Amino acid sequence: DAGVIQSPRHEVTEMGQEVTLRCKPISGHNSLFWYRQTMMRGLELLIYFNNNVPIDDSGMPEDRFSAKMPNASFSTLKIQPSEPRDSAVYFCASRLLGQPNEKLFFGSGTQLSVL
Amino acid sequence: EDQVTQSPEALRLQEGESSSLNCSYTVSGLRGLFWYRQDPGKGPEFLFTLYSAGEEKEKERLKATLTKKESFLHITAPKPEDSATYLCAVQAGGFGNEKLTFGTGTRLTIIP
């Protein structure tokens, strides 16, 4: 199993540019999460989907952030326009609903730097 | 709002020196408490899930315990390869609630 796959691994962009982060969950998983990690705030949940449907987007900081899951094997997180304070590591995670121990499998993350 | 506080922020131990990491939580109806390990440049990796006070789980040199207000991750005779950041997370009860709230972690360094 390839695990959760995120791309790109690193993204450096200038303020005001559009940024798109991508995620491929583990095959068969039907719940997908986007987290953001910073030193100050740790891991913060941005949004999660069950069966491709957004369930809770209360963690999305502003309208500049949007996420989609067009099918069970792909999700995107878009920031438009980007700002320096968006610099962080963005993680995607997936799991199978109803698993006994309900554990999340994380990708390796996208390190985003907005200059 | 669910809250998770981990202490200490950082801990340095000599190889073989046992210690404990703390995770205090406030949650409306605990459904599960999770421990993860995170190595630099990688995503968190699952260690344990605890569901009710009094429960304990072990894996190699790690043992996790749970009370109604906190969880401990005990590390016995640690080795340098145990160096990592250890994250605690809680999931509140309620049908369909899949959200995990994480603490900021404890950065553990084991000195050979």
Side-chain angles (χ1 to χ4, degrees):
Chain A
D1 193 332
V4 176
I5 299 173
Q6 291 186 245
S7 65
R9 285 283 280 133
H10 303 276
E11 177 80 37
V12 180
T13 190
E14 293 188 347
M15 182 174 63
Q17 296 298 307
E18 177 179 297
V19 175
T20 300
L21 311 181
R22 297 173 175 79
C23 175
K24 177 178 170 58
I26 292 174
S27 178
H29 282 188
N30 51 7
S31 190
L32 183 140
F33 300 73
W34 283 101
Y35 279 88
R36 177 171 68 177
Q37 187 174 41
T38 61
M39 289 292 291
M40 290 298 296
R41 300 173 68 88
L43 269 170
E44 300 174 283
L45 177 65
L46 299 176
I47 185 171
Y48 76 91
F49 298 81
N50 284 349
N51 297 309
N52 311 338
V53 176
I55 301 300
D56 184 350
D57 66 354
S58 59
M60 298 284 263
E62 301 170 32
D63 291 344
R64 298 184 296 106
F65 285 68
S66 62
K68 294 182 179 179
M69 191 164 187
N71 57 61
S73 59
F74 184 67
S75 177
T76 59
L77 178 67
K78 185 176 293 187
I79 308 173
Q80 166 64 20
S82 58
E83 296 182 3
R85 59 190 167 130
D86 301 331
S87 298
V89 181
Y90 291 80
F91 286 103
C92 176
S94 71
R95 72 175 177 210
L96 184 62
L97 285 171
Q99 251 185 331
N101 58 15
E102 301 181 52
K103 62 183 178 182
L104 275 176
F105 294 82
F106 283 80
S108 296
T110 295
Q111 173 78 60
L112 174 64
S113 298
V114 183
L115 306 177
Chain B
E1 184 177 329
D2 304 336
Q3 288 190 331
V4 179
T5 303
Q6 292 188 245
S7 62
E9 287 187 13
L11 181 63
R12 291 171 63 89
L13 299 172
Q14 292 290 330
E15 184 174 359
E17 180 184 1
S18 302
S19 187
S20 297
L21 313 182
N22 177 264
C23 170
S24 298
Y25 63 90
T26 303
V27 65
S28 176
L30 181 69
R31 180 168 155 187
L33 184 138
F34 302 78
W35 282 98
Y36 284 80
R37 169 189 170 129
Q38 186 174 21
D39 293 300
K42 296 187 177 181
E45 182 179 340
F46 173 81
L47 291 173
F48 303 108
T49 309
L50 302 167
Y51 294 103
S52 58
E55 190 175 359
E56 299 183 352
K57 289 196 176 171
E58 289 188 64
K59 180 180 180 181
E60 296 182 354
R61 295 175 293 281
L62 300 177
K63 184 170 79 172
T65 62
L66 181 65
T67 72
K68 289 186 177 180
K69 294 183 178 180
E70 57 191 351
S71 176
F72 293 93
L73 185 65
H74 306 277
I75 302 175
T76 302
K79 299 181 178 182
E81 53 262 41
D82 294 322
S83 297
T85 296
Y86 290 85
L87 299 168
C88 172
V90 297
Q91 183 176 3
F95 179 76
N97 177 30
E98 305 295 329
K99 176 180 177 179
L100 263 65
T101 301
F102 282 83
T104 52
T106 293
R107 188 173 66 256
L108 177 66
T109 303
I110 307 300
I111 304 164

